[in-house]
Each structure stands twice: as C-alpha cells, then as structure tokens.
Amino acid sequence: MAEPPPFASRLVCRIEAALEELQDIGWVPGGHRRVVPIAGGSVSGPLLSGQIVPGGADWQILAEDGSAVIEARYTIRADDGALLLVHSRGVRNGDPAVLERLLRGEAPDPSEYYFRTLVTLECSAPAHAWVNGRLFIAVAAREPAAVVIDLHEIL
C-alpha cells in the first residue's frame, strides 16, 4: 500500500490586516452575526509581498461561549501590481473567559486561544499562478484593531 507523503508546509507571508469598526448584526438563526470590515494592511514574506486592498471583510458567527466561525474575503495587491483574491474559512475558540477578553477589545496572548483558517488564493497573473489549486493554513492572532496572520502553503 502506498504511503502518503509526510505533512509539510512553508511560510508564504505575514499579513497584518487593519480592521474598521465592527458591524454588530445581532442574533440570527445561526448565531451572533458580526461583520468586521478590513481597512487595508501589509503583506510581507519570502513568497508574497504587497498591500491589502481596502474593502474586504470578515463575516463571523459567534456562539454563546464566544467562539467564532470565520469567513473572510479580501484582496491583496502584490508588489508587482497583481491582484490575489483571498478566501479564508476557519475558527477561533478557547476558554470562554479568554474569548470574552477578545470581545472586549483586549489582546490576550495568542497562545491562550486557537485561531486557524484554511485559505485559498486566486490569481490570474502568471507570476502568481502557483497559488491556484493550492491550500494554505493561516495561524492568526487578534489585536484590538488588527489581525496578524502567518500564511503557510501546505506542500
């Protein structure tokens, strides 16, 4: 029987996304809906560098314990001008007391909670076509007005 290759990844970039004021939609059938607009930010790393184009957002559903289901879409303008669409889906969870601190706008140590997303990228520019058909994992930390993300390609 064939053996799958061992899990491996490589760092693509660090994303520092600046956030705008939260839009609190309230309780809907699936949970507490919030929209967090993305104002812009920077992208720097060994495989991708550029800026976040303002206008994306993170559409969240919060559970009663403060855990969140994340779905974000935004655009990166690479240093060479190419546009890459980012689609990120994942979770942020942990001890309810720590999550309550996050919801109050504090910045607990990222080791106190779990914030991970599965990311896909789309790009039509030949120089970045390698991202199409790949999967990426984001390991993230929430700050009061920003999210810091280390984006890794799954090899």
Side-chain angles (χ1 to χ4, degrees), residues 65-66 94-104 106 108 112-113:
D65 66 358
D95 181 275
V98 173
L99 298 176
E100 177 60 33
R101 290 173 51 208
L102 278 170
L103 294 175
R104 285 196 310 261
E106 297 177 24
E112 295 183 76
Y113 58 94

Side-chain angles (χ1 to χ4, degrees), residues 19-34:
L19 306 176
E20 293 181 355
E21 184 177 342
L22 168 78
Q23 301 169 9
D24 192 344
I25 307 303
W27 286 93
V28 299
H32 187 164
R33 171 69 71 187
R34 301 169 4 140

Side-chain angles (χ1 to χ4, degrees), residues 90-148:
V91 296
R92 185 179 68 214
N93 54 50
D95 181 275
V98 173
L99 298 176
E100 177 60 33
R101 290 173 51 208
L102 278 170
L103 294 175
R104 285 196 310 261
E106 297 177 24
D109 188 297
S111 68
E112 295 183 76
Y113 58 94
Y114 184 87
F115 188 0
R116 308 288 188 273
T117 65
L118 177 63
V119 178
T120 55
L121 302 173
E122 296 176 25
C123 187
S124 64
H128 302 282
W130 67 272
V131 304
N132 298 310
R134 298 289 185 166
L135 293 176
F136 303 84
I137 293 176
V139 179
R142 182 69 157 86
E143 295 181 347
V147 174
V148 178

Side-chain angles (χ1 to χ4, degrees), residues 51-68:
Q51 298 294 315
I52 297 174
V53 177
D58 177 6
W59 292 268
Q60 302 177 350
I61 291 282
L62 299 181
E64 289 187 20
D65 66 358
S67 61

